[in-house]
Amino acid sequence: MVNVLIVRAHPLNQEVSRSMKVTDAFLNAYKEIHPDHKIEDMNLYHVNVPEIDRDLLNAWNDLNQGKPFDSLSDSQQQKVNMFNSYTEDFLQQDKIIIANPLWNLSIPTRLKAWIDCITVAGKTFKYTETGSVGIVKGKKVLHIQANGGVYNGSDPASQYVKTIFTFLGVTDFHQLFVEGMDHNPEKADEIVEKAVEKAQQLAKAF
């Protein structure tokens, strides 16, 4: 069984969001080709994603000092369990598709919080004498991003996503951009349709 995770980082659906429209086109084409694959479709705006805060930092410190889990506050226990669940869910996946808009040259904060949940020493990377080494192997990742301007992958958001997954050890990494709609609004529909076609073609080989 091939496990596939869709990580949507946009509060709006495909009727408004260009990144979600392209993602839906990819997913529909992928399902036709791989009807037997197990797909988890998660929108980060429909679930709780813990941010690294005082509760988590203090909880990790207490646990590292050998304190029992049940000595943590209810809030700490809930956040630690939630954080760990995202880590373990990611580790079970074979293919991951991440979709987001470019907001102020960055990714949405919900996506950053999820990425923090999967960037865990001892589980997705490790420290060695020569530096940090990614230990995520055998996973395929696709990053879909919608940009109002044209960056050709040079924007900080897509560079960050690529950098973090490369850091974790992912070597099979792909990018699909739908961009330039605000720069050339008269061609916005054409740009999106071309991206939809690219997504459908990419689904055949992903």
Side-chain angles (χ1 to χ4, degrees):
M1 175 67 70
V2 175
N3 295 319
V4 182
L5 175 63
I6 313 294
V7 181
R8 300 176 185 263
H10 202 300
L12 303 178
N13 62 22
Q14 75 282 355
E15 294 180 1
V16 180
S17 166
R18 292 140 172 174
S19 58
M20 295 303 100
K21 183 173 183 177
V22 173
T23 301
D24 282 353
F26 173 90
L27 183 56
N28 291 335
Y30 186 89
K31 286 179 176 179
E32 290 184 5
I33 301 167
H34 303 289
D36 56 331
H37 289 189
K38 182 180 178 182
I39 298 175
E40 177 185 352
D41 195 345
M42 175 177 64
N43 190 316
L44 297 178
Y45 285 87
H46 298 166
V47 296
N48 291 323
V49 184
E51 295 184 4
I52 296 177
D53 59 6
R54 180 183 298 178
D55 277 345
L56 276 175
L57 292 173
N58 286 336
W60 289 333
N61 183 59
D62 288 345
L63 293 172
N64 288 335
Q65 291 180 5
K67 294 183 179 180
F69 183 78
D70 59 11
S71 70
L72 302 177
S73 69
D74 290 344
S75 177
Q76 287 177 313
Q77 291 184 36
Q78 182 182 23
K79 290 179 181 180
V80 169
N81 282 332
M82 192 183 305
F83 188 100
N84 292 344
S85 71
Y86 284 111
T87 309
E88 295 304 320
D89 184 56
F90 170 76
L91 291 172
Q92 296 301 315
Q93 306 301 326
D94 300 297
K95 300 177 181 180
I96 300 96
I97 296 90
I98 298 165
N100 64 273
L102 176 68
W103 284 348
N104 298 327
L105 295 180
S106 187
I107 59 175
T109 56
R110 292 285 183 101
L111 180 55
K112 174 59 170 63
W114 178 82
I115 289 175
D116 285 341
C117 291
I118 68 167
T119 307
V120 181
K123 292 191 174 182
T124 55
F125 75 95
K126 64 181 179 180
Y127 295 108
T128 70
E129 294 181 355
T130 57
S132 303
V133 176
I135 54 177
V136 173
K137 306 298 180 185
K139 297 188 188 302
K140 181 178 288 189
V141 176
L142 168 63
H143 180 214
I144 299 172
Q145 181 172 289
N147 310 323
V150 179
Y151 300 93
N152 295 313
S154 65
D155 63 279
S158 64
Q159 288 187 349
Y160 167 71
V161 174
K162 183 176 182 179
T163 298
I164 198 70
F165 279 98
T166 300
F167 169 77
L168 296 180
V170 174
T171 56
D172 198 347
F173 184 89
H174 306 261
Q175 294 174 308
L176 175 59
F177 300 113
V178 48
E179 58 182 359
M181 293 79 67
D182 296 338
H183 183 70
N184 292 300
E186 70 281 359
K187 296 183 178 180
D189 291 342
E190 179 184 348
I191 291 170
V192 173
E193 286 308 312
K194 286 184 177 179
V196 164
E197 292 175 4
K198 288 181 180 179
Q200 293 168 335
Q201 290 299 315
L202 185 56
K204 296 178 181 180
F206 189 78

